[in-house]
Amino acid sequence: MTTVTTSASAAPDTTAPLPRRTLDWRLRFGALSLIWGFSFLLIKVGTHGYAPFHVTLGRLLFGTAVLAAAMAVKRERLPRGGRTWGHLTVAAFLLNALPFSLFAYSELTIPSTLAGICNATSPLWGMALSLVALSEDRPTRVRVAGLGLGFLGVLTVLGAWQGFSGLDARGTAMALLASLCYAIGWIYVRRTLAGTGSSHLSMTGAQLLLATVQLALITPLFAPMPTRFPVVPLLAIVALGALGTGLAVLLQYGLVAEVGPTTAQMVTYFIPVIATAAGVAILGESLTWSTPVGAVIVLAGAALTQVRARGKR
């Protein structure tokens, strides 16, 4: 992240580097969208051969390995201070260990397309939490309207007018709860870990390490060691961790440093589109008209919840 920021600020006043730099961030933006969009397909494939906790543990293990390698290359150290590590432990549970596990369990009974759409409801949860003063952002009429629109989109995806027939309520609830965990986790991080002085790479590396330890302690209690290791699901878990968690974090922070958080967070709106396309085209999951229509409504509502009042950053 530091390299990207430095190169962007120190670039000479010529037109030659500009096209290359613009193409570069757009390519990384597209790569991040694809990686996170395909993550739900990889979770589904992983659960075909391994228990959900094994999928999550493998994801965290390989993701942590990628960040550890990046930290070694940049010669960054883990953050210091017992208080920081205490908050990171909570953040690791809310942002990694718990939602990753919930998504893995949910995809035992729901399609990866639905899981990807449920993931897009995280901004809606964040807006709902702001209504009960858990966030510093005061709700506006536009943002409240976005919350209502997003809720309507969720009902459309779930087929509320049909009485939710054919829908696994437990799996869907797990996916929605995982999305809620992201919203709660980010509010917690903003309130407790802002201004620690450590780099984003160092903080995230420590957070994934703690989440890995948490899953390593919990997994043996609920899922015994597998006696066989199917290759395709194992490769899916490796890709999910190394690409969908480790590399994706590095790409995300690079984008934030180069083009800013507003542009970087737009990747959220491409994830359910890619997840749906991948689930239908590769896994052969069924798709009714209500799924894409509801997804568009959810994304429109989520976009409105991110609108800030004039003069606010």
Side-chain angles (χ1 to χ4, degrees):
M1 186 174 69
T2 306
T3 305
V4 175
T5 306
T6 304
S7 62
S9 60
D13 187 19
T14 62
T15 57
L18 293 179
R20 176 171 53 85
R21 188 167 66 249
T22 301
L23 180 63
D24 182 52
W25 82 258
R26 287 178 178 174
L27 283 175
R28 286 183 283 122
F29 183 95
L32 183 58
S33 301
L34 287 172
I35 289 172
W36 271 341
F38 271 86
S39 292
F40 297 95
L41 179 148
L42 294 174
I43 292 173
K44 173 67 78 173
V45 175
T47 57
H48 287 168
Y50 300 91
F53 272 131
H54 292 151
V55 174
T56 304
L57 178 58
R59 175 181 187 176
L60 289 169
L61 184 63
F62 289 107
T64 303
V66 171
L67 291 190
M71 290 177 62
V73 170
K74 296 189 175 184
R75 298 182 180 180
E76 292 198 18
R77 296 180 178 180
L78 292 172
R80 298 179 179 179
R83 184 176 180 180
T84 298
W85 279 90
H87 289 313
L88 281 172
T89 301
V90 178
F93 179 73
L94 291 175
L95 290 173
N96 303 115
L98 182 56
F100 288 2
S101 299
L102 287 171
F103 271 125
Y105 268 101
S106 73
E107 292 200 37
L108 290 177
T109 55
I110 67 173
S112 63
T113 55
L114 179 56
I117 294 172
C118 289
N119 178 77
T121 63
S122 185
L124 302 178
W125 289 119
M127 180 61 208
L129 292 175
S130 72
L131 294 177
V132 291
L134 291 179
S135 173
E136 296 83 355
D137 296 326
R138 291 185 177 182
T140 63
R141 291 181 179 178
V142 173
R143 300 180 71 191
V144 172
L147 178 61
L149 185 63
F151 180 69
L152 177 63
V154 172
L155 293 179
T156 303
V157 171
L158 302 182
W161 64 92
Q162 297 175 338
F164 307 104
S165 61
L167 181 71
D168 183 80
R170 184 179 179 182
T172 305
M174 284 185 176
L176 291 172
L177 182 57
S179 182
L180 172 61
C181 288
Y182 289 139
I184 297 174
W186 280 117
I187 290 175
Y188 180 84
V189 167
R190 286 173 57 187
R191 286 177 172 260
T192 61
L193 290 171
T196 59
S198 300
S199 69
H200 289 300
L201 176 59
S202 174
M203 297 288 283
T204 307
Q207 181 178 307
L208 282 184
L209 175 61
L210 288 168
T212 304
V213 173
Q214 291 171 358
L215 258 294
L217 295 174
I218 294 175
T219 298
L221 302 177
F222 297 94
M225 275 292 294
T227 56
R228 49 190 296 271
F229 298 88
V231 176
V232 174
L234 180 60
L235 292 177
I237 295 173
V238 173
L240 179 65
L243 301 179
T245 304
L247 179 60
V249 168
L250 298 178
L251 289 173
Q252 181 189 33
Y253 285 135
L255 286 171
V256 170
E258 186 169 348
V259 300
T262 301
T263 301
Q265 75 176 0
M266 291 297 293
V267 71
T268 304
Y269 306 115
F270 290 87
I271 293 174
V273 177
I274 297 172
T276 300
V280 172
I282 299 177
L283 297 180
E285 295 177 345
S286 60
L287 184 68
T288 61
W289 68 267
S290 60
T291 300
V293 171
V296 171
I297 299 174
V298 168
L299 294 178
L304 288 177
T305 63
Q306 301 306 298
V307 174
R308 297 294 188 269
R310 289 185 179 181
K312 280 194 172 186
R313 302 187 112 187

